[in-house]
Amino acid sequence: MSDTLYPMKFHPILKDKIWGGQKLKTLLKKESNLPNIGESWEISDVEGDPSIVSNGKLKGRSLKDLLETYKADLIGEKNYQLFGNKFPLLIKFIDAREDLSIQLHPNDALAAERHNSFGKTEMWYVMQADKDANLIVGFNQEMNAEKYLGHLENKTLTQILNFDKVKSGDTYFIEVGRVHAIGAGVLLAEIQQTSDITYRVYDWDRVDDQGNARELHNDLAIDAFDFNMPDNFRVAYDRTKNRSNKMVSCPYFTTSYLKVTERLEKQNTKDSFFIYICVEGEAHISVKGISVDIKKGETLLLPACIKRYEIDAENATLLEVYV
């Protein structure tokens, strides 16, 4: 094990968005003067937006730099063979004061061919939702390209979309090729492949301060749709206290729900880093006498070379992620 590595936190990368709000400041205590914070990128290796360590002796170093230095010690042998010096996940908190655009993401093959990027499989965990707030996921009827394009042309797209009312704890798995949007009033945690490729198909006819509409990508999007997907995007999961309850497991990440009310001794047997996202309360993660606090709205990276650690909390809810 590289003795230099320890549980690491990063400075959040805050993004001003036309649809963003104030909850990342008020509920998750992010510090910023931006008027409409839509996203907080918690762990990122996206080109141009590298995460920077905020605690401990590696403070000030970028995630990219750490990966180039520590390689498999940081992310695990098999992950390093697969991804090399590219961290495979992007972790975000998202606050939608207004509806996001209707969109979808390409699969790995399309994204590699068109954008030299990974695809963008993702999942959402709802942290807070205003009364009657919705997520849009999938269609509300059987769909094909011809029918879809007809509705797009006639500006009746919303008639064929599936709107789900949501509450705190609701979890959705958004596979590539599935149409989706976060509705106004929803604050969520998002776990996704490292990719910033989004095909926007409809933006509610919105314009910016200069009167410009945002770019749409309908020519690219039509090939990225999978119109035959089953409605299996709602995630059911156990909430047994003090153990990892699997929520989503796919080739890109595995996420579990972990409600901690006592001291837990944990072992990493996965040949992977672990990420802990605190969605409620506060916990302490300890390795060889080094203890790092993680509060609601914070995210922590546990390097793959750390095999034994402890999590201690009176009442904390964590999302536990590995690849």
Side-chain angles (χ1 to χ4, degrees), residues 278-283 294-297 315-317:
C278 188
V279 293
E280 199 59 61
E282 179 179 352
I294 176 172
K295 298 186 178 77
K296 179 179 179 176
N315 188 14
T317 306

Side-chain angles (χ1 to χ4, degrees), residues 293-312:
D293 295 347
I294 176 172
K295 298 186 178 77
K296 179 179 179 176
E298 293 185 333
T299 305
L300 177 144
L301 173 65
L302 198 72
C305 61
I306 295 172
K307 296 304 178 192
R308 290 175 179 275
Y309 56 102
E310 292 176 341
I311 303 179
D312 190 16

Side-chain angles (χ1 to χ4, degrees), residues 50-63:
S51 284
I52 306 295
V53 179
S54 65
N55 70 319
K57 52 192 166 193
L58 296 171
K59 185 175 179 177
R61 302 255 315 251
S62 74
L63 180 58

Side-chain angles (χ1 to χ4, degrees), residues 102-113:
I102 313 296
Q103 56 187 243
L104 75 159
H105 308 298
N107 61 26
D108 283 347
L110 261 185
E113 181 191 322

Side-chain angles (χ1 to χ4, degrees), residues 105-106 108 119-123 173-176 191-193 250 252-253:
H105 308 298
D108 283 347
K120 193 170 166 185
T121 298
E122 61 191 19
M123 69 166 279
F173 181 45
I174 313 293
E175 292 179 89
V176 290
I191 295 145
Q192 58 160 94
Q193 288 173 273
C250 69
Y252 307 106
F253 53 82

